[in-house]
Structures are given as C-alpha cells and as structure tokens.
Amino acid sequence: MKRYRPHILVVIALAIVLSTGWHGALRNALTDLRFTWQSRDASGKVVVVAIDAPSIDQIGVWPWPRRLHADLLKRLEAAGAGDIAFDVDFSTPSDPASDEAFVKALRNAGGSTILPSFKQPTPNGGAAHVNRPLKPFGNQSWPAVVNVAIESDGLVRRYPFGEKLGDVVVPSMAVVLAGQDVNRRPPFLIDFSIRAASIPTVSYVNVLRGDAATLDGLKDKKVIVGATALELGDRFSVPNGRIVSGPVLQALAAESILQGRMLRWTSDTGMILGLGLITLLMMYSWRRLAPGIRVAVLVAAGAAIELAAALVQARWPLVIDTSLFHIAIVAYLTAIALDEIDFRGLLGRIAESRFHRIAMSLGDGLVCTDEDHRITVWNPGASAIFGYMPAEMIGRPFETLCAVPVDGDARPSMHDAARQALLVPGGAVVVEFEGRRKNGETFPVEASFSGWQGTDGFQYGAILRDISVRKREAERIQYLAEHDVLTGLANRNMLHASLSDLIAAAERRSSGVALLVLGLDGFQQINDMLGHSSGDLVLCAVAERLRAEVEGKAIVARLSGDEFAIALDCADIGEPVAAFAERIAQAFEAPLATGTRQHRIRISVGVAVYPEGGQTADDLLSNGHLALSRAKATRRGGHVLFETAIRQELENRLTLESELALAADRGEFELFYQPQVRLIDGSLVGAEALIRWRHPVRGYVSPAEFMPVVNTSALSERIANWVMETACRQARAWELSGNNVRVAINLSPSQLQSGDLAHSVAALLEVTGLTSSLLEIEVTEDILLHDERRVLAMFKRIQDLGVRVVFDDFGTGYASLSYLKKFPLDGLKIDRSFVFGLLANSDDAAIVGSTIGLSKQLGLTVVAEGIENRATADFLVGMGCEEGQGYFFGRPMPAEAFERQFLTAELDAVTAA
C-alpha cells in the first residue's frame, strides 16, 4: 500500500478537481494566457461603424430617428460597402415617416443588409421574449441572432452558429457576415488572440456627414453598425480582463470565421493518454530515481506539454486542454514533498516548541507533573500566583500548593482528577480548592486537570487560576442582582422571589400575604427644585423610615424611582392589613430629615392581599400598582385596597381603546354637523363638526363615552387629523355648490403637541382648496395651558392664514379673562351651562350679559351654545348676542341631512329642530 500511496494521492486529487469543476477554471486560464502570447491583427475585412460618444454629442440623445439609419445605409451603399449588419434594436415602431424612410433604404440596398433578432428575459422569470425586426424591415433584410452565452465566471468565450427562434433556426450575425452556413454546428471559441484594437472602427457621424476619407475605407468591407459608447451599456467581459462593446464582439467572431480561427477543444483521448504516460513514468521512477530528478522530469514535462499546446493553438484552430495534466504534475510534486519530509518528527518538534511558547506566555498558571505527581513544568503565571520561582518548585510534589483543609476534607487528588478527565468529553476536569501562597496566604484556586500518556509514562497537567477576585465579584454581582444600589433595599427581582416564597408558605398554612405598593406624592418637585442628589437623600430617608416601621417583620423593596413595596405574611403583623397600611401612610406625616433640610413627604398606598388580590407574585404586583394608581387619583396620602372592579375598569378602557383602533381602521367614525345661525333672522352662518362612532353592534356610541379615552390615547392625533381633513373637504364641497358654510372644528391637545399645527392647517387648505375664512378652530383652556409662548405664536400664524380661532366653553375655566387678553382670538362661545338656565337664573343672565358686552369691546364675535327654545334665543338677541346654536335650531346630523334641511332652500325664520 505504501508503494502506491503517491499514485493514489494523484488519483484522489484528480477526482476532487473533476467533481468540483476546478479544472475548467484552470483550462480557461491557460487558454486565455495563450491568447496573450499569440497576439495577431485583424484582417481588416470587417469594419465597425461606431455609435460612439462624439456621434451622440453631435446628433443628440439616443435613440435616434430611423431616418438617420436610412441616410447612413445610403452612404454605405454609395461607398461600395459589402454586407451591412445593424446591431441595433428594430423591434418597435417609431414615427411612421422615419420607418418608411428606413424601409425604402433597405429596399434600395438590395438585400445586403442584416438586422438583428435577440432573446430578452422577462422580469418575472418566464419564457424569454424574442425581439425581431418589424415585419416591413424584416422583409427587406437578412435575419441574424446577436445573443451570446455568458459563462459562470461572467466572461464570453463561445460564439453560436445560430439559435432556434420559434420554429426557425436563425444564424448568428458573424456567421451571416462571413458567409457561413449554420448546419446545426456547435458553438466555437472566439479567437481572442485577435486584437480588438486592430479592428477598423469609424464614427457613425463621420459616415453620416459623408466624410470622404472615412467612406473610402469602407469599399468592399463588411460593416457592423452598433453602439460602442459607454453610456449605451452594450458591453461584454472577455478573457484577460478586457471589456468590449457588442459590435466589436461580433466583429471578433466574424474575424475568427474569416481567418479560419473557429477554435475547438481537442478530444479527451489525448488528455487520458498524457495522464497515463506521466503515471507510468512516475510508477517506474519512484524508487529508482532521486527526488530531484523526478521533480525535474515533472517540471520539464509540464513545460513541454504547455509549449506544444501553445504552438498547436497558434498554428491550428485547436485548443488542447492541459489542465488535468498540470494538476497531476502538481499532485506528484506534492507527493514527492510528503514522501521526503519526516512529518512525524517535524510535527513533534513543532508541537513541543508551540507548547513551550504557549506555556511560558500564559497569564494563568501552568503546572505539569510526572506520574509520581512531582512538578516538571512551572511557568511564570504559576510564579505570579503562588510566589514560588521555578527552581523552588521543580521536583516538589503538587500537594505543596494545597492548603491544609480546615474542615478536615481531603486535598484534591491530581491523579483522580486527571484520570477522570480521560473519560470526559474535552478531556479536562475542573476542580476548586484552597491554595497556599509562599507567604502562607490561602486563596481559592480553580484548576483544570488533564492527563496524557507520554514517553516517560503517564503525565499530568493543570491550568491554575486565582479566582479570589472572581469570587468577590460574583458575590457583589449577586448582591446587585438582588438589592437596590441607592437604598440597600431589596429590588424588584428579590421582591418577586420573596413574594413567591411567602405565597407558597401561606398556601400551606391557609393564611394571607399582603403586598403594599407605595408611591411618593410630589417627589418630582424635589428633584426639579433641589436636584437629584437631594432626591436621593430623600429616597434613602424613606427607606430607613420604612425599615423602622416594619421592625424586621416584612420585606421592604424599592421598585423604581419613587415607588417602594412592603411584602409580609398577614399573620406576622398582628393587626388588620388596612390598619397596617394606614399606619405606614401616617408614619410620613412627620417630616423627613436629610442633612440640614426637612421634607414633608406624603405617600399613597395600594394594597393587594393574597388570595383575593392575586394568586401569584405577578398578580399581586400588578394589582398593587392598580390600587396605587387609584389611591393617587382619589386618596392621596391614604391607602386603597385592591378590588376586582379596579381591574375591570382598566380592562374596559383597554377594550374600548382596542375597539377604537379597529374603528379607525374600518372607517366607523362619521362627522355630524350642528347648525350655527344668526340669531336676528335665523339665517345659517356655519356648522360645528362633531364626531360620531357608528359601532357595528351597539349602533351610535355617545361621544361622552369614547372621546375621553381617545383624548388620552395614542389615537388622539390620528382621529383629530381625520376630523379636520374630513370637515375641510365637506366645507369645500359645500363651497363649490355655492353655499359658503363656515365649519367649526374642535382642536385636540395632541395636534398642538405633535408638530407644527399652523403648517398642517396651511397644507390642508392648499390640498382641499377651501377658502380659509370658512374654517374655524375651537380651542379650550386646557390646550392653552401648555407652553403658552409656543401656542401663542402658533395661533398667530393660523390667524395670518385667514382661519378663525374661537375660545370654546368660555366661563368654565380658571383664567379665561387673561386668555382673552393674551391670545389672538376671533370670537368665543358661551358655555351651555350658562345658557341653559338663562331665563330662570339671574346670575347666569348677569354672566352672559357681561361676557357679551366684554366681547363687543374686544371686537370678538359671540356664539351662545345650548339654545333649546325661542324665548332663550329672543333673550340673547336682546342682550346683543349675534350667533347661536342648539337643539332649537337643529341637532347634530349627517352631512346629507344637513344639506337637505339647510342648504337646498332659503332658510325660513328660526324654526324648531
């Protein structure tokens, strides 16, 4: 077997190369190199008329009118050119006059013109689309295919004689130019030793202008007209790193045919004979000749066969494939090298040297021993850990490094650990033990033991690490994982684990577990006014007071910034949970001392009790937070015990939010319009747009039920923008029909907070085409409260657009008079709460009368809301109120109903809705 091993190696190498196809790449590389060595000139019989950059600059952007091709064809015919091939797409019509001119030129050429056909892949991966010249062109010319195959390395090497398009075999363009017959012959290799630069090339524009010198060179030539300009993209990669244009590639193929250089691969028989010959030569000489002579024979054989292949390729249109021959030679050279090198000894020396370098450079300690556990290797890492120098430890037993166990346990046995390592995947066993330094200090050591059979018997090794720092870090990490860094209280993770343990114990005893979630009221003000360092001191003081109050009977934890929690077994507190929670809340009535300051902090408490308030730790935490939220909303400074109704209320809100999101997606919202009239004569002046929700099951849902949820949810801006856009489009539709109805829209706070409202209004007016004076925006005091300076500037820009701004619900806020002074307003609406009791309540009458008088002095229009009878309307007219709205004039109604009632005919005097 050893005798035939080199030849088996060669066979394996050839099999691998053949199975992977690598020999093809080598064959192509060798053929391409021969092209470089055997450079030759073109015959000059084929000329390329180039659609080049100068032609595009002078004629204009491609594609050109076909009348230019007709003129070119006439010039070529007049110059006495032979066959003329266009590498230009003629498959689609252009202007009729140009197409007719080209047909006439083809007819006059008398059948000497070749027009291209080509396959073009479809974008969806279906069957390729065939582009042919238009029928009028095809009837006056010869057809030719211009497609070429691109190989796996992205290069073009082969050229087809023809291709089947439909039911007809169409010859390739170079084949037609060279006057060859298709004859179903296979593709040939283009001879790329013909230099592309030697192919005569003239510019399209020079021929078109009738340049005499250019035309003289075209007599009796075969002409290819096509694109060579880079911007037209008709480019192909060919061997030896060159890129040529499509017309030049067709010219190279035609030159290969005309010069008898249609290259073909030789059969595999010669390759097999060559491989057999070299194999027999090596089998005969392997032990008879010296390695150097065999190397020389192989190199000479490779050079000779490659020289012969180059000469054959230069003389005849044959390409000899020598790839496998060269691969066999390389494999034999490799076999000679492997046969002569003592790899076992070399690998041993390399391994020993590598082991020594690694051992000496390791930061960890490395100790090796013989079978008697006496140290044979001691690296600098071990010296750094234990303090002993190598001379002090070589020859001493490994147990010298181990401290005497305090608890009487046995020292770790290197023998047992190393033997066990042989049975473990990876071959190592990790053991921890107490080590002793030279100075007597003990410390934790992690040792990775291994064993192996050496030339001097069984040997052992250990990688030693000082893990004292890691142990301390692990303890610190464990502490940080379970405690809050600032206060030292348990954190959320530890609280959750402790709650689970308390619940498990309470379940066994059938008792209860209480969780108090505490939130500091007004803590953010301390951070804002005094800084976070003062806030941290307050949090630490809160933690100390909570520890003192629970007296070690409960777990106190910090959940987040200003939230704490107390978890305890109900049996341990000796009082009702409610009383305990109230006592904890009252404990903070006394001020907290932090340095020189005293802080008065109130806390709100949410209480959840197992099992009624939750069956698991997660349930108790969730329900405790819900109870805290209720306490902050209703009983600040007190406690709220969790009830199912609290969660049900939240779930109802979440359900409503989900339904509202679906309603927005499904288009279930509608706009109703309530008329606003001129009180003196009842004529229509405008309408307020009011949103309605048509639920698929419940029918119309009251805005009072869903709008509070919308205004505090992520849907607020989306729905508010929809209302504004829909109302503006409706107002524009009425405007186009000849009814100038001013439409009032209630502004949402989210529209001011999310972006530039003035820009959005301007864009909406531009898109819809609505006259700006027909849009009125109603704002409430809660909108004006946020960032007064920004809101003031925003409303001034909106007014500059011509849009009216009206103060809604006037009289119900806290600073309405100051807003009338500060903000740019066009009017105000008196809230319905004052108008409803106007006739019976003198106070309401006084407020309404004062408001109307004040508005007139400020130049504001007044709209009274909630008018439900004629007497109220007449009373308001007497007070000087100009406009009003209410059920007396019309309820909110869909746009169609509004149009029928108010826009189809002139309004009569004010009538009841």
Side-chain angles (χ1 to χ4, degrees), residues 280-348:
L280 289 174
L281 180 61
M282 286 296 104
M283 291 179 69
Y284 173 79
S285 63
W286 198 258
R287 295 304 176 193
R288 292 180 175 85
L289 299 178
I293 297 175
R294 278 179 276 154
V295 169
V297 170
L298 289 170
V299 172
I305 192 67
E306 190 56 36
L307 178 60
L311 292 175
V312 169
Q313 186 170 321
R315 178 72 174 168
W316 296 283
L318 294 175
V319 179
I320 298 177
D321 182 4
T322 60
S323 58
L324 293 180
F325 193 84
H326 288 300
I327 291 168
I329 289 175
V330 171
Y332 270 120
L333 291 173
T334 305
I336 292 172
L338 294 175
D339 194 44
E340 292 302 314
I341 297 174
D342 180 12
F343 275 96
R344 179 176 295 180
L346 178 62
L347 291 175

Coordinates of all heavy atoms in Angstrom, one line a residue, residues 280-348:
L280 N 2.7 6.2 -15.6 CA 3.6 5.1 -15.8 C 5.0 5.5 -15.5 O 5.8 4.8 -14.9 CB 3.4 4.6 -17.2 CG 2.1 3.8 -17.5 CD1 2.0 3.5 -19.0 CD2 2.0 2.6 -16.7
L281 N 5.4 6.8 -16.0 CA 6.7 7.2 -15.8 C 7.1 7.4 -14.3 O 8.1 7.0 -13.9 CB 6.9 8.6 -16.5 CG 8.3 9.3 -16.4 CD1 9.3 8.4 -17.0 CD2 8.2 10.6 -17.1
M282 N 6.1 7.9 -13.5 CA 6.3 8.1 -12.1 C 6.4 6.7 -11.4 O 7.2 6.5 -10.5 CB 5.2 9.0 -11.5 CG 5.4 10.4 -11.9 SD 6.9 11.2 -11.2 CE 7.9 11.3 -12.7
M283 N 5.5 5.8 -11.8 CA 5.5 4.5 -11.1 C 6.8 3.8 -11.4 O 7.4 3.1 -10.5 CB 4.3 3.6 -11.7 CG 3.0 4.1 -11.2 SD 1.6 3.2 -11.9 CE 1.8 1.6 -11.0
Y284 N 7.4 4.0 -12.6 CA 8.7 3.3 -12.9 C 9.8 4.0 -12.1 O 10.7 3.3 -11.6 CB 8.9 3.4 -14.4 CG 10.3 2.8 -14.8 CD1 10.5 1.5 -14.9 CD2 11.3 3.8 -15.1 CE1 11.8 1.0 -15.2 CE2 12.6 3.3 -15.4 CZ 12.8 1.9 -15.5 OH 14.0 1.5 -15.8
S285 N 9.8 5.3 -12.0 CA 11.0 6.0 -11.5 C 10.9 6.3 -10.0 O 11.8 6.9 -9.5 CB 11.1 7.3 -12.3 OG 10.0 8.2 -12.0
W286 N 9.8 6.0 -9.3 CA 9.6 6.5 -8.0 C 10.7 6.0 -7.0 O 11.2 6.9 -6.3 CB 8.2 6.0 -7.4 CG 7.8 6.8 -6.2 CD1 7.8 6.4 -4.9 CD2 7.3 8.1 -6.3 NE1 7.4 7.4 -4.2 CE2 7.0 8.5 -5.0 CE3 7.0 9.0 -7.3 CZ2 6.5 9.7 -4.6 CZ3 6.4 10.2 -7.0 CH2 6.2 10.6 -5.7
R287 N 11.1 4.8 -7.0 CA 12.2 4.4 -6.2 C 13.5 4.2 -6.9 O 14.6 4.0 -6.3 CB 11.8 3.0 -5.5 CG 10.6 3.1 -4.6 CD 10.8 4.1 -3.5 NE 9.7 4.3 -2.6 CZ 9.5 5.3 -1.8 NH1 10.4 6.2 -1.7 NH2 8.4 5.4 -1.0
R288 N 13.5 4.4 -8.2 CA 14.7 4.2 -9.0 C 15.5 5.5 -9.1 O 16.7 5.5 -9.3 CB 14.4 3.6 -10.4 CG 13.9 2.2 -10.3 CD 13.6 1.7 -11.7 NE 13.2 0.3 -11.7 CZ 12.0 -0.2 -11.5 NH1 11.0 0.7 -11.3 NH2 11.7 -1.5 -11.5
L289 N 14.8 6.6 -9.2 CA 15.4 7.9 -9.4 C 15.4 8.8 -8.2 O 14.4 8.6 -7.4 CB 14.8 8.6 -10.6 CG 14.8 7.9 -12.0 CD1 14.1 8.8 -13.0 CD2 16.3 7.7 -12.4
A290 N 16.3 9.6 -8.0 CA 16.4 10.5 -6.9 C 15.2 11.5 -7.0 O 14.7 11.8 -8.1 CB 17.7 11.3 -6.8
P291 N 14.7 12.1 -5.8 CA 13.6 13.0 -5.8 C 13.9 14.2 -6.7 O 13.0 14.7 -7.4 CB 13.5 13.4 -4.4 CG 14.1 12.3 -3.6 CD 15.2 11.7 -4.4
G292 N 15.1 14.8 -6.7 CA 15.4 15.9 -7.5 C 15.2 15.7 -9.0 O 14.7 16.5 -9.8
I293 N 15.6 14.4 -9.4 CA 15.5 14.1 -10.9 C 14.0 14.0 -11.2 O 13.6 14.4 -12.3 CB 16.2 12.8 -11.2 CG1 17.7 13.0 -10.9 CG2 16.0 12.3 -12.6 CD1 18.6 11.7 -11.1
R294 N 13.2 13.4 -10.3 CA 11.8 13.2 -10.6 C 11.1 14.6 -10.7 O 10.3 14.9 -11.5 CB 11.1 12.4 -9.5 CG 11.3 10.9 -9.7 CD 10.6 10.2 -8.5 NE 11.5 10.1 -7.4 CZ 11.2 9.9 -6.1 NH1 9.9 9.9 -5.8 NH2 12.0 9.8 -5.2
V295 N 11.5 15.5 -9.8 CA 11.0 16.9 -9.9 C 11.3 17.5 -11.2 O 10.5 18.2 -11.9 CB 11.5 17.7 -8.7 CG1 11.2 19.2 -8.9 CG2 11.0 17.2 -7.4
A296 N 12.6 17.4 -11.6 CA 13.0 18.0 -12.9 C 12.2 17.4 -14.1 O 11.8 18.1 -15.0 CB 14.5 17.8 -13.1
V297 N 12.0 16.0 -14.0 CA 11.2 15.4 -15.1 C 9.8 15.9 -15.1 O 9.2 16.2 -16.2 CB 11.2 13.9 -14.9 CG1 10.2 13.2 -15.8 CG2 12.6 13.3 -15.1
L298 N 9.2 16.1 -14.0 CA 7.8 16.6 -13.9 C 7.7 18.0 -14.4 O 6.8 18.4 -15.2 CB 7.3 16.5 -12.5 CG 7.0 15.1 -12.0 CD1 6.7 15.2 -10.5 CD2 5.8 14.5 -12.7
V299 N 8.6 18.9 -14.0 CA 8.6 20.3 -14.4 C 8.8 20.4 -16.0 O 8.2 21.1 -16.7 CB 9.7 21.1 -13.7 CG1 9.8 22.5 -14.3 CG2 9.3 21.2 -12.2
A300 N 9.8 19.5 -16.5 CA 10.1 19.6 -17.9 C 8.9 19.1 -18.7 O 8.5 19.6 -19.7 CB 11.3 18.7 -18.2
A301 N 8.2 18.0 -18.2 CA 7.0 17.5 -18.9 C 5.9 18.6 -18.9 O 5.3 18.7 -20.0 CB 6.5 16.2 -18.2
G302 N 5.7 19.3 -17.8 CA 4.7 20.3 -17.8 C 5.0 21.4 -18.8 O 4.1 21.9 -19.5
A303 N 6.3 21.8 -18.8 CA 6.7 22.9 -19.7 C 6.5 22.5 -21.2 O 6.1 23.2 -22.0 CB 8.1 23.4 -19.4
A304 N 6.9 21.2 -21.4 CA 6.8 20.7 -22.8 C 5.4 20.6 -23.3 O 5.1 21.0 -24.4 CB 7.5 19.3 -22.9
I305 N 4.5 20.1 -22.5 CA 3.1 19.9 -23.0 C 2.5 21.3 -23.1 O 1.7 21.5 -24.1 CB 2.3 19.0 -22.0 CG1 1.0 18.6 -22.6 CG2 2.1 19.8 -20.6 CD1 1.1 17.7 -23.8
E306 N 2.8 22.3 -22.3 CA 2.2 23.6 -22.4 C 2.8 24.3 -23.7 O 2.0 25.0 -24.4 CB 2.5 24.4 -21.2 CG 1.7 25.7 -21.1 CD 0.2 25.5 -21.2 OE1 -0.3 24.5 -20.7 OE2 -0.5 26.3 -21.9
L307 N 4.1 24.1 -24.0 CA 4.6 24.7 -25.2 C 4.0 24.1 -26.4 O 3.7 24.8 -27.4 CB 6.2 24.5 -25.2 CG 6.9 25.0 -26.4 CD1 6.7 26.6 -26.5 CD2 8.4 24.7 -26.3
A308 N 3.8 22.8 -26.4 CA 3.2 22.1 -27.5 C 1.8 22.6 -27.7 O 1.3 22.9 -28.8 CB 3.2 20.6 -27.3
A309 N 1.0 22.8 -26.6 CA -0.3 23.3 -26.7 C -0.4 24.7 -27.3 O -1.3 25.0 -28.1 CB -1.0 23.2 -25.3
A310 N 0.6 25.5 -26.9 CA 0.6 26.9 -27.4 C 0.9 26.9 -28.9 O 0.3 27.7 -29.6 CB 1.7 27.7 -26.6
L311 N 1.8 26.1 -29.3 CA 2.2 26.0 -30.7 C 1.0 25.5 -31.6 O 0.7 26.0 -32.7 CB 3.4 25.1 -31.0 CG 4.7 25.7 -30.4 CD1 5.8 24.7 -30.5 CD2 5.1 27.0 -31.1
V312 N 0.3 24.5 -31.1 CA -0.9 23.9 -31.8 C -1.9 25.0 -31.9 O -2.5 25.2 -32.9 CB -1.4 22.7 -31.1 CG1 -2.7 22.3 -31.6 CG2 -0.4 21.5 -31.2
Q313 N -2.2 25.7 -30.8 CA -3.2 26.7 -30.8 C -2.9 27.9 -31.7 O -3.8 28.5 -32.3 CB -3.5 27.3 -29.4 CG -4.6 28.2 -29.2 CD -5.0 28.5 -27.8 OE1 -4.9 27.6 -27.0 NE2 -5.3 29.7 -27.5
A314 N -1.6 28.2 -31.9 CA -1.2 29.3 -32.8 C -1.3 28.8 -34.2 O -1.6 29.6 -35.1 CB 0.2 29.7 -32.4
R315 N -1.0 27.6 -34.5 CA -1.0 27.1 -35.9 C -2.3 26.6 -36.4 O -2.7 26.9 -37.5 CB 0.0 25.9 -35.9 CG 0.2 25.2 -37.3 CD 0.9 26.0 -38.3 NE 1.1 25.3 -39.5 CZ 1.5 25.9 -40.6 NH1 1.8 27.2 -40.7 NH2 1.8 25.1 -41.7
W316 N -3.1 25.9 -35.6 CA -4.4 25.3 -36.0 C -5.5 25.8 -35.0 O -5.2 26.2 -33.9 CB -4.3 23.8 -36.0 CG -3.3 23.2 -36.9 CD1 -3.5 23.1 -38.3 CD2 -2.0 22.8 -36.6 NE1 -2.4 22.5 -38.9 CE2 -1.4 22.3 -37.9 CE3 -1.2 22.6 -35.5 CZ2 -0.2 21.8 -38.0 CZ3 0.0 22.1 -35.6 CH2 0.6 21.7 -36.8
P317 N -6.7 25.8 -35.5 CA -7.8 26.2 -34.6 C -8.2 25.1 -33.6 O -9.3 24.6 -33.5 CB -9.0 26.4 -35.6 CG -8.7 25.5 -36.8 CD -7.2 25.4 -36.9
L318 N -7.2 24.7 -32.8 CA -7.4 23.7 -31.8 C -6.9 24.2 -30.5 O -5.8 24.8 -30.4 CB -6.7 22.4 -32.2 CG -7.2 21.6 -33.5 CD1 -6.3 20.5 -33.8 CD2 -8.6 21.2 -33.3
V319 N -7.6 23.8 -29.4 CA -7.2 24.2 -28.1 C -7.0 22.9 -27.3 O -8.0 22.2 -27.1 CB -8.2 25.1 -27.4 CG1 -7.8 25.4 -26.0 CG2 -8.5 26.4 -28.2
I320 N -5.8 22.6 -26.9 CA -5.5 21.4 -26.2 C -5.7 21.7 -24.7 O -5.2 22.6 -24.1 CB -4.1 21.0 -26.4 CG1 -3.9 20.6 -27.9 CG2 -3.8 19.7 -25.5 CD1 -2.5 20.2 -28.2
D321 N -6.6 20.9 -24.0 CA -6.9 21.0 -22.6 C -5.8 20.3 -21.8 O -5.7 19.1 -21.8 CB -8.2 20.4 -22.3 CG -8.6 20.5 -20.8 OD1 -7.8 21.2 -20.1 OD2 -9.6 20.0 -20.4
T322 N -4.9 21.1 -21.2 CA -3.8 20.5 -20.4 C -4.0 20.7 -18.9 O -3.1 20.5 -18.1 CB -2.5 21.2 -20.8 OG1 -2.6 22.6 -20.5 CG2 -2.2 21.0 -22.2
S323 N -5.2 21.0 -18.5 CA -5.5 21.3 -17.1 C -5.2 20.1 -16.2 O -4.5 20.2 -15.2 CB -6.9 21.8 -16.9 OG -7.9 20.9 -17.4
L324 N -5.8 19.0 -16.6 CA -5.6 17.8 -15.7 C -4.2 17.3 -15.7 O -3.7 16.8 -14.7 CB -6.6 16.7 -16.2 CG -8.1 16.9 -16.0 CD1 -8.8 15.7 -16.5 CD2 -8.4 17.2 -14.6
F325 N -3.5 17.5 -16.8 CA -2.1 17.1 -16.8 C -1.3 17.9 -15.8 O -0.5 17.4 -15.1 CB -1.6 17.3 -18.3 CG -0.2 16.7 -18.5 CD1 -0.1 15.4 -18.9 CD2 0.9 17.5 -18.4 CE1 1.1 14.8 -19.1 CE2 2.2 16.9 -18.6 CZ 2.3 15.6 -18.9
H326 N -1.5 19.3 -15.8 CA -0.8 20.1 -14.8 C -1.2 19.8 -13.4 O -0.4 19.8 -12.5 CB -1.1 21.6 -15.1 CG -0.4 22.1 -16.4 ND1 0.9 22.1 -16.6 CD2 -1.0 22.6 -17.5 CE1 1.2 22.6 -17.8 NE2 0.1 22.9 -18.4
I327 N -2.5 19.5 -13.2 CA -2.9 19.1 -11.8 C -2.2 17.8 -11.4 O -1.8 17.7 -10.2 CB -4.5 19.0 -11.8 CG1 -5.1 20.4 -12.0 CG2 -4.9 18.4 -10.5 CD1 -6.6 20.4 -12.2
A328 N -2.1 16.9 -12.3 CA -1.4 15.6 -12.0 C 0.0 15.9 -11.6 O 0.6 15.3 -10.7 CB -1.5 14.6 -13.1
I329 N 0.7 16.8 -12.4 CA 2.1 17.1 -12.1 C 2.2 17.8 -10.7 O 3.1 17.4 -9.9 CB 2.6 18.0 -13.2 CG1 2.8 17.3 -14.5 CG2 4.0 18.7 -12.8 CD1 3.2 18.1 -15.7
V330 N 1.3 18.7 -10.4 CA 1.3 19.4 -9.1 C 1.1 18.3 -8.0 O 1.8 18.3 -6.9 CB 0.3 20.5 -9.0 CG1 0.2 21.0 -7.6 CG2 0.7 21.6 -9.9
A331 N 0.2 17.4 -8.2 CA -0.1 16.4 -7.2 C 1.1 15.5 -7.0 O 1.5 15.1 -5.8 CB -1.3 15.5 -7.6
Y332 N 1.8 15.1 -8.1 CA 3.0 14.3 -7.9 C 4.1 15.1 -7.2 O 4.9 14.5 -6.4 CB 3.5 13.8 -9.3 CG 2.9 12.5 -9.7 CD1 2.1 12.4 -10.9 CD2 3.1 11.4 -8.9 CE1 1.6 11.2 -11.2 CE2 2.6 10.1 -9.3 CZ 1.8 10.0 -10.4 OH 1.3 8.8 -10.8
L333 N 4.3 16.4 -7.5 CA 5.3 17.2 -6.8 C 5.0 17.2 -5.3 O 5.9 17.1 -4.4 CB 5.3 18.6 -7.4 CG 5.9 18.7 -8.8 CD1 5.7 20.1 -9.3 CD2 7.4 18.3 -8.8
T334 N 3.7 17.3 -5.0 CA 3.2 17.3 -3.6 C 3.6 16.0 -2.9 O 4.0 15.9 -1.8 CB 1.7 17.6 -3.4 OG1 1.5 18.9 -4.1 CG2 1.3 17.7 -2.0
A335 N 3.3 14.9 -3.7 CA 3.6 13.5 -3.1 C 5.1 13.4 -2.9 O 5.5 12.7 -1.9 CB 3.1 12.5 -4.1
I336 N 5.9 13.9 -3.8 CA 7.4 13.8 -3.5 C 7.8 14.6 -2.3 O 8.6 14.1 -1.4 CB 8.1 14.4 -4.8 CG1 7.9 13.5 -6.0 CG2 9.6 14.5 -4.5 CD1 8.5 14.1 -7.3
A337 N 7.2 15.8 -2.1 CA 7.5 16.5 -0.9 C 7.1 15.8 0.4 O 7.8 15.7 1.4 CB 6.8 17.9 -0.9
L338 N 5.8 15.2 0.4 CA 5.3 14.5 1.5 C 6.2 13.3 1.8 O 6.4 12.9 3.0 CB 3.9 14.1 1.3 CG 2.9 15.3 1.3 CD1 1.5 14.7 0.9 CD2 2.8 16.0 2.6
D339 N 6.7 12.6 0.7 CA 7.4 11.4 0.9 C 8.8 11.7 1.5 O 9.4 10.8 2.2 CB 7.6 10.7 -0.5 CG 8.1 9.3 -0.4 OD1 7.5 8.6 0.5 OD2 9.0 8.9 -1.1
E340 N 9.3 12.9 1.3 CA 10.7 13.2 1.7 C 10.8 13.8 3.1 O 11.8 13.8 3.7 CB 11.4 14.1 0.7 CG 11.6 13.4 -0.7 CD 12.5 12.2 -0.5 OE1 13.5 12.2 0.2 OE2 12.1 11.1 -1.1
I341 N 9.7 14.4 3.5 CA 9.7 15.1 4.8 C 9.3 14.2 5.9 O 8.3 13.5 5.9 CB 8.7 16.3 4.7 CG1 9.2 17.3 3.7 CG2 8.7 17.0 6.1 CD1 8.3 18.5 3.4
D342 N 10.0 14.2 7.0 CA 9.7 13.4 8.2 C 8.6 14.2 9.0 O 9.0 15.0 9.9 CB 10.9 13.2 9.1 CG 10.6 12.4 10.3 OD1 9.5 11.9 10.4 OD2 11.5 12.4 11.2
F343 N 7.4 14.1 8.6 CA 6.3 14.9 9.2 C 6.1 14.6 10.7 O 5.7 15.4 11.5 CB 5.0 14.7 8.4 CG 5.0 15.6 7.2 CD1 5.4 15.1 6.0 CD2 4.6 16.9 7.3 CE1 5.3 16.0 4.9 CE2 4.5 17.8 6.2 CZ 4.9 17.3 5.0
R344 N 6.3 13.3 11.0 CA 6.0 13.0 12.4 C 7.0 13.7 13.4 O 6.6 14.3 14.4 CB 6.1 11.4 12.6 CG 5.9 11.0 14.1 CD 5.9 9.5 14.2 NE 4.8 8.9 13.5 CZ 4.6 7.6 13.4 NH1 5.4 6.8 14.0 NH2 3.5 7.1 12.8
G345 N 8.3 13.6 13.0 CA 9.3 14.3 13.8 C 9.1 15.8 13.7 O 9.2 16.5 14.7
L346 N 8.8 16.3 12.5 CA 8.6 17.7 12.4 C 7.4 18.2 13.2 O 7.5 19.2 13.9 CB 8.4 18.1 10.9 CG 8.1 19.5 10.6 CD1 9.3 20.4 11.0 CD2 7.8 19.7 9.1
L347 N 6.3 17.5 13.1 CA 5.1 17.9 13.9 C 5.4 17.8 15.4 O 4.9 18.6 16.2 CB 3.9 17.0 13.5 CG 3.4 17.2 12.1 CD1 2.3 16.1 11.8 CD2 2.8 18.6 12.0
G348 N 6.2 16.8 15.8 CA 6.5 16.6 17.2 C 7.3 17.8 17.7 O 7.1 18.4 18.8

